[in-house]
């Protein structure tokens, strides 16, 4: 089959790879009909290179048609249409039964000290072949895949794999009070969708970004927007009676603009052999923390920061005195897809209140994936969300 494979920093190829097959009785094989490029995939493209090997199949957002199931998969049959959550979870362990599927004790990558295995996402998360491919082997298929109806286009459901539950959790963790204000830093796919969900719930939403097309896109949805610059903190405080917003969602993560020292650290780390890069990232703070520092600065005293952007440094410096003094609550983590999917599914009806139809900015064949990665990483052509068709 064909798939998008990582071959080196900023190098993705459309390659021939072995077809997946049933390996365990809890496996399924899905013929992929749509797969997405996620903002966190760009971290693999640029920063997380030491944790990948040439030939790794990328992608953790996929949906399609079940081709084959293992003997213990009784909830699915060939022909079923499914969305595949980005994490691999069993559904029955201590963590899964508490709605913490990204901490699944059955698939935890213990040798790396990490949580549940993820599709297409580095050695840290199990090095499981991903969904930017013609076919996908799905472990723990007795629980993971979410069945959806035949008929509506893939774009109605594909975001259940990651974007919708991740943005939903970001808003849940933000603990926005009734009548409160939330600031969303970063208007990529997760930040954009988090804005829509918070607005749907009746909150005041202010989105912040650098890219004009993203600001215009959010503004068309009825969201207040501000362009990120050196005065944005003062502007946000002025817009919230001098206190700052009740909640801030950091949807940017490790590659934030405005962190020049960390940017140089990332670039220097990239010049080292893989083993040394891995050691540096696991023991030294190399993330660009401008977005998180801004969140800490602007959130009101007693407010909440919901951190949904991906960070990778193990020893990033945090202003603990300020966090403590301002009595800030901080919540974070990979989204627990099944925890939220039942709440999200009713919103994917014909009324489409979150406006998922048309959410993607680009629809391309899988063969154009390498060019799509470059376009998305460089924020060209208004790219916010790219969907690929095998």
């Amino acid at each position: 089959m064909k798939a998008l494979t990582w071959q080196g920093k900023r190098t993705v190829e459309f390659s021939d790879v072995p077809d997946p097959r049933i390996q365990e009785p809890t496996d399924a094989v899905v013929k992929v009909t749509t797969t997405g490029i996620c903002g966190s995939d760009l971290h693999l493209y640029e920063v997380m290179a030491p944790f990948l090997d040439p030939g790794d199949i990328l992608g953790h957002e996929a949906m399609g048609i079940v081709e084959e199931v293992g003997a213990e998969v009784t909830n699915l049959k060939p022909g079923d249409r499914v969305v595949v959550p980005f994490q691999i979870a069993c559904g029955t362990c201590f963590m899964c039964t508490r709605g913490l599927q990204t901490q699944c004790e059955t698939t935890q990558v213990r040798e790396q000290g990490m949580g549940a295995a993820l599709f297409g996402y580095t050695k840290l998360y199990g090095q499981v072949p991903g969904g930017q491919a013609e076919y996908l082997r799905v472990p723990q298929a007795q629980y993971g895949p979410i069945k959806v109806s035949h008929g509506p286009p893939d774009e109605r459901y594909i975001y259940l794999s990651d974007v919708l539950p991740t943005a939903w959790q970001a808003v849940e963790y933000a603990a926005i009070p009734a009548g409160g204000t939330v600031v969303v830093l970063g208007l990529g796919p997760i930040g954009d969708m988090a804005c829509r969900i918070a607005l749907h719930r009746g909150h005041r939403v202010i989105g912040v970004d650098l890219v004009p097309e993203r600001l215009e896109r959010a503004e068309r949805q009825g969201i207040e927007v501000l362009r990120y610059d050196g005065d944005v903190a003062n502007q946000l405080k002025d817009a919230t009676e001098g206190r700052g917003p009740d909640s801030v969602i950091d949807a940017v993560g490790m590659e934030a603009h405005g962190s020049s020292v960390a940017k140089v650290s990332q670039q220097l780390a990239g010049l080292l052999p893989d083993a040394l890069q891995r050691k540096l990232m696991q023991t030294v703070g190399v993330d660009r923390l401008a977005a998180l520092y801004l969140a800490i600065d602007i959130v009101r005293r007693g407010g909440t920061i919901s951190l949904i952007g991906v960070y990778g440094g193990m020893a990033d410096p945090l202003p603990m005195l300020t966090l403590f003094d301002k009595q800030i609550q901080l919540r974070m983590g990979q989204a627990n897809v099944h925890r939220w999917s039942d709440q999200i599914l009713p919103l994917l009806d014909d009324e489409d209140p979150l406006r998922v139809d048309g959410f993607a900015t680009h629809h391309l064949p899988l063969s154009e994936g390498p060019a799509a990665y470059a376009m998305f990483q460089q924020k060209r052509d208004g790219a916010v969300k790219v969907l690929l068709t095998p």
Side-chain angles (χ1 to χ4, degrees):
M1 70 170 184
K2 293 286 190 178
L4 297 185
T5 61
W6 185 90
Q7 298 295 339
K9 187 174 180 178
R10 302 194 197 102
T11 305
V12 171
E13 290 184 0
F14 183 57
S15 308
D16 287 305
V17 298
D19 291 345
R21 57 182 180 81
I22 300 291
Q23 299 178 25
E24 301 291 340
T26 51
D27 286 352
V29 173
V30 172
K31 181 179 181 180
V32 177
T33 54
T34 297
T35 182
I37 301 178
C38 179
S40 57
D41 286 330
L42 298 184
H43 303 321
L44 313 185
Y45 191 71
E46 182 73 21
V47 178
M48 302 292 285
F51 298 100
L52 292 110
D53 290 326
D56 282 353
I57 301 174
L58 299 171
H60 57 270
E61 299 180 354
M63 69 174 293
I65 305 298
V66 175
E67 286 274 305
E68 185 181 2
V69 297
E72 294 180 16
V73 180
T74 59
N75 57 314
L76 299 175
K77 64 183 184 303
D80 282 344
R81 190 186 192 196
V82 296
V83 178
V84 182
F86 70 90
Q87 81 267 153
I88 302 167
C90 71
T92 57
C93 70
F94 177 91
M95 291 295 178
C96 284
T97 57
R98 284 156 179 79
L100 295 169
Q101 289 87 357
T102 54
Q103 310 304 326
C104 175
E105 292 181 330
T106 300
T107 73
Q108 272 181 23
V109 187
R110 289 180 172 84
E111 62 271 24
Q112 298 286 350
M114 305 299 279
L118 308 180
F119 288 103
Y121 215 79
T122 79
K123 296 172 185 174
L124 292 174
Y125 289 102
Q127 210 164 19
V128 181
Q132 290 169 4
E134 292 179 321
Y135 293 89
L136 175 66
R137 171 182 166 254
V138 181
Q140 301 298 324
Q142 82 289 349
Y143 174 69
I146 300 169
K147 283 200 287 188
V148 296
S149 62
H150 290 273
D154 280 8
E155 192 169 3
R156 182 64 60 90
Y157 297 120
I158 180 63
Y159 307 117
L160 270 174
S161 61
D162 182 354
V163 172
L164 277 167
T166 297
W168 193 275
Q169 181 169 297
V171 174
E172 288 281 342
Y173 281 12
I176 312 161
T181 298
V182 60
V183 168
V184 179
L185 303 178
L187 296 175
I190 301 302
D192 184 312
M193 187 57 75
C195 286
R196 297 180 189 212
I197 292 167
L199 197 66
H200 175 71
R201 294 186 180 190
H203 301 299
R204 182 189 180 194
V205 185
I206 304 173
V208 178
D209 205 290
L210 275 168
V211 183
E213 294 90 345
R214 296 185 176 190
L215 293 166
E216 293 165 8
R217 172 182 161 102
E219 196 168 28
R220 289 196 299 271
Q221 302 297 324
I223 296 156
E224 297 177 53
V225 298
L226 283 175
R227 180 177 171 81
Y228 177 84
D229 60 27
D231 191 47
V232 72
N234 291 327
Q235 294 178 63
L236 287 166
K237 288 176 182 176
D238 289 345
T240 52
E241 300 180 338
R243 296 189 190 94
D246 302 285
S247 306
V248 179
I249 296 173
D250 173 1
V252 178
M254 68 172 73
E255 295 183 81
H257 291 274
S259 306
S260 56
V261 174
K263 180 178 181 179
V264 171
S265 298
Q266 287 180 352
Q267 291 171 338
L268 290 175
L271 301 176
L272 299 172
D274 282 356
L276 291 178
Q277 288 187 59
R278 288 195 292 270
K279 185 69 173 176
L280 182 68
M281 293 188 72
Q282 291 174 322
T283 58
V284 179
V286 296
D287 292 328
R288 304 187 210 171
L289 297 175
L292 181 54
Y293 288 154
L294 176 60
I296 294 167
D297 181 27
I298 63 174
V299 72
R300 70 162 169 80
R301 291 178 178 273
T304 302
I305 296 173
S306 174
L307 197 164
I308 204 68
V310 176
Y311 286 91
M314 291 291 285
D316 292 312
L318 287 175
M320 293 304 298
L321 175 62
T322 302
L323 285 164
F324 183 84
D325 177 64
K326 290 185 71 174
Q327 207 167 328
I328 291 171
Q329 299 181 77
L330 180 61
R331 294 200 71 181
M332 66 189 79
Q334 303 273 14
N336 304 293
V337 175
H338 271 279
R339 181 173 182 175
W340 313 116
S341 58
D342 287 346
Q343 298 175 50
I344 296 168
L345 267 169
L347 300 178
L348 303 180
D349 58 15
D350 290 341
E351 294 184 7
D352 191 21
L354 301 179
R355 296 175 293 283
V356 296
D357 290 346
F359 185 76
T361 53
H362 294 74
H363 295 79
L364 298 168
L366 186 67
S367 59
E368 294 185 26
Y373 264 89
M375 173 186 65
F376 192 19
Q377 196 268 340
Q378 296 163 21
K379 298 181 174 65
R380 288 189 278 108
D381 195 29
V384 174
K385 188 61 186 178
V386 181
L387 297 181
L388 303 171
T389 304

